[in-house]
Amino acid sequence: MAEKNLNFEQVIERRGTDCLKYDFASKRGLPEGVLPLWVADMDFRISSYIQEALFEQVKHGIYGYTDTLDEYYQAVNKWLDNQYGYNVLEEEIVKTPGVVYAIGMAIQAFTRPGDAVLIQQPVYYPFSSVILDNKRELVSNDLVYDKENLTYHIDFADFEKKIVKNSVKLFLLCNPHNPVGRAWNREELIQIGEICSKHGVIVFSDEIHADFVWKGKHQAFLTAKGGFEQIAVTATSPSKTFNLAGLQVSNLVIKNKQLRQKFQAALDASGYSQLNAAGLIACKTAYQSGEEWYEAVKKYIQSNIEFMMSYLKENIPQIKMIYPEATYLVWVDCSGLALTDEELEDLVVKKANLWLDSGCIFGNVGRGFQRFNVACPRKILKQALEQFKEAVDNK
């Protein structure tokens, strides 16, 4: 069977399918009809191999408790080895129904109420909410924005200072980083790991966007230096790569047996056991047969990033795009418009008729920014940028 779903130009109607991205504007306080480029899923049909595997499951007609045999672990391990260069044993993989859920379990497993958990804002906003909802102290080693070169870097002196001052027990690393698009290099990860090892900090490395690094290969935290696997909990998932977020499956790599037992105890205490049956089928099939689709969608998304960069330079030069080293989420600096947070939100939502992710939700250091999801047909991206341009021209 050849891969059939490679037409990424096709606009597929998602409205009326209970789609979070398209059908919930009014429930979220936005006008009906806004064009959404916010939540991180794709507007592309999944690989036909995955689709056919799910069709077969549907035809079988029984959806009882489902677990994973050797073939599943072999598929996951082969993907991790081919993409990132490390091997895992079956017992080193812990399955969870998503990375955010896994973060919550890690917080419960490795910290106590009142303990400090470190993040690096501006960062994926559930990091903050899960920490606070679990009654832990949120501490941020804010990333440093280099406005001249339109990039971000880590203040390592502040990183260590925050760990020591707050007796940090757990660090949530976003690798690659959402939303600023950094693909952390080996040297940066070594500095992170050495500081965390020195002070007994466990590193939860969210590597859900690892398959979308635009130059070279993703550097996993646990392989940056020997010994880091002893402090690392690495979250992987096919959900961003293969557009499977709604099927609720992620695979955590925890090589340290003691950490794995603590995490598993928290997972057991939550009452969760077997994952979504369709998610397990989709994950296995994606890693076995989805590479052609993945390579094609990666190429298409990268062309969208280039298109957006050129469009903004030519048509809205006041807006500065941070060119992503990784992810299909584009971080845009709107400070050149000289608007307040409220005025910027009004321009985006009411004047441009767009639903984006406001930088404010990623932490105070995200103010003045907007996040675009460019994993959509070029026609939709072009329409969104044209609406944005018209709103800016008439502000």
Side-chain angles (χ1 to χ4, degrees):
M1 181 180 73
E3 176 60 64
K4 300 172 184 175
N5 294 341
L6 297 177
N7 181 9
F8 305 119
E9 292 286 337
Q10 181 183 7
V11 177
I12 299 169
E13 181 58 73
R14 298 185 67 187
R15 292 179 176 85
T17 63
D18 294 337
C19 170
L20 183 63
K21 190 174 186 178
Y22 281 88
D23 287 334
F24 286 80
S26 62
K27 283 188 175 292
R28 299 291 184 99
L30 287 88
E32 282 290 349
V34 290
L35 184 61
L37 284 82
W38 66 288
V39 70
D41 67 9
M42 303 184 193
D43 287 335
F44 308 131
R45 188 164 282 129
I46 62 171
S47 163
S48 60
Y49 286 95
I50 304 172
Q51 203 170 15
E52 289 295 332
L54 292 172
F55 286 161
E56 289 301 314
Q57 186 185 46
V58 169
K59 284 192 290 185
H60 184 263
I62 298 176
Y63 313 110
Y65 296 116
T66 305
D67 213 328
T68 47
L69 295 170
D70 290 347
E71 191 179 10
Y72 178 92
Y73 295 104
Q74 290 166 5
V76 173
N77 182 57
K78 183 179 179 182
W79 186 267
L80 296 178
D81 188 24
N82 288 344
Q83 298 297 319
Y84 321 133
Y86 65 84
N87 282 280
V88 291
L89 302 174
E90 178 178 330
E91 61 265 26
E92 294 172 341
I93 295 176
V94 181
K95 302 185 296 294
T96 69
V99 171
V100 175
Y101 180 86
I103 291 171
M105 291 299 97
I107 289 170
Q108 292 184 28
F110 306 128
T111 69
R112 296 179 178 180
D115 283 347
V117 180
L118 184 67
I119 59 176
Q120 293 175 315
Q121 291 181 324
V123 73
Y124 181 50
Y125 41 92
F127 278 30
S128 302
S129 58
V130 176
I131 292 169
L132 296 174
D133 288 345
N134 277 284
K135 312 301 181 188
R136 271 58 169 180
E137 180 187 356
L138 188 158
V139 178
S140 180
N141 162 238
D142 292 346
L143 297 179
V144 180
Y145 178 41
D146 181 345
K147 193 165 186 174
E148 182 178 351
N149 295 302
L150 298 175
T151 189
Y152 283 82
H153 66 266
I154 298 169
D155 181 341
F156 286 102
D158 180 71
F159 183 80
E160 185 164 20
K161 180 181 176 182
K162 292 282 175 61
I163 287 174
V164 173
K165 181 180 178 182
N166 298 281
S167 299
V168 167
K169 301 294 190 296
L170 177 66
F171 168 50
L172 304 182
L173 170 65
C174 200
N175 176 39
H177 195 280
N178 168 18
V180 308
R182 278 299 316 276
W184 303 118
N185 61 46
R186 184 168 177 266
E187 290 69 27
E188 290 168 318
L189 294 174
I190 286 174
Q191 283 188 268
I192 286 171
E194 288 180 340
I195 292 170
C196 289
S197 295
K198 178 181 175 183
H199 298 289
V201 178
I202 297 164
V203 179
F204 184 104
S205 187
D206 173 4
E207 305 193 6
I208 197 169
H209 291 280
D211 292 317
F212 292 101
V213 172
W214 303 116
K215 290 183 180 179
K217 285 277 190 178
H218 166 71
Q219 173 61 62
F221 171 75
L222 86 166
T223 61
K225 183 180 178 182
F228 285 3
E229 70 279 0
Q230 295 305 309
I231 63 168
V233 175
T234 304
T236 76
S237 174
S239 63
K240 302 304 179 190
T241 308
F242 293 97
N243 202 25
L244 303 174
L247 295 182
Q248 305 272 298
V249 59
S250 60
N251 297 291
L252 269 62
V253 176
I254 313 177
K255 288 185 169 287
N256 181 314
K257 184 177 180 180
Q258 189 176 28
L259 294 184
R260 190 165 65 249
Q261 288 174 337
K262 286 184 177 180
F263 185 91
Q264 186 65 55
L267 195 62
D268 293 343
S270 77
Y272 204 93
S273 54
Q274 283 75 28
L275 266 67
N276 180 312
L280 295 175
I281 289 287
C283 178
K284 181 178 70 174
T285 308
Y287 288 153
Q288 288 175 330
S289 307
E291 190 160 1
E292 181 183 359
W293 185 93
Y294 159 65
E295 293 293 349
V297 82
K298 187 177 180 183
K299 183 177 180 180
Y300 186 86
I301 291 170
Q302 190 165 21
S303 72
N304 269 354
I305 292 171
E306 297 291 347
F307 172 79
M308 182 169 176
M309 174 66 87
S310 297
Y311 188 96
L312 290 177
K313 281 184 177 179
E314 293 172 12
N315 297 283
I316 325 176
Q318 311 96 304
I319 305 296
K320 305 299 181 185
M321 172 176 150
I322 286 69
Y323 191 94
E325 298 173 354
T327 85
Y328 51 77
L329 305 167
V330 176
W331 192 234
V332 174
D333 182 352
C334 300
S335 60
L337 299 176
L339 299 174
T340 65
D341 294 337
E342 294 75 17
E343 289 169 340
L344 178 58
E345 198 65 12
D346 182 75
L347 180 138
V348 169
V349 175
K350 295 181 180 178
K351 295 177 180 175
N353 199 36
L354 296 176
W355 187 359
L356 309 176
D357 268 338
S358 168
C360 298
I361 65 177
F362 299 90
N364 285 333
V365 284
R367 296 173 66 177
F369 289 80
Q370 295 283 323
R371 192 189 77 170
F372 283 74
N373 173 3
V374 300
C376 60
R378 179 70 53 80
K379 180 180 180 180
I380 291 177
L381 178 59
K382 185 172 184 287
Q383 180 183 343
L385 293 172
E386 287 173 348
Q387 289 175 199
F388 199 29
K389 178 185 185 307
E390 184 178 357
V392 170
D393 288 347
N394 296 300
K395 74 178 178 72

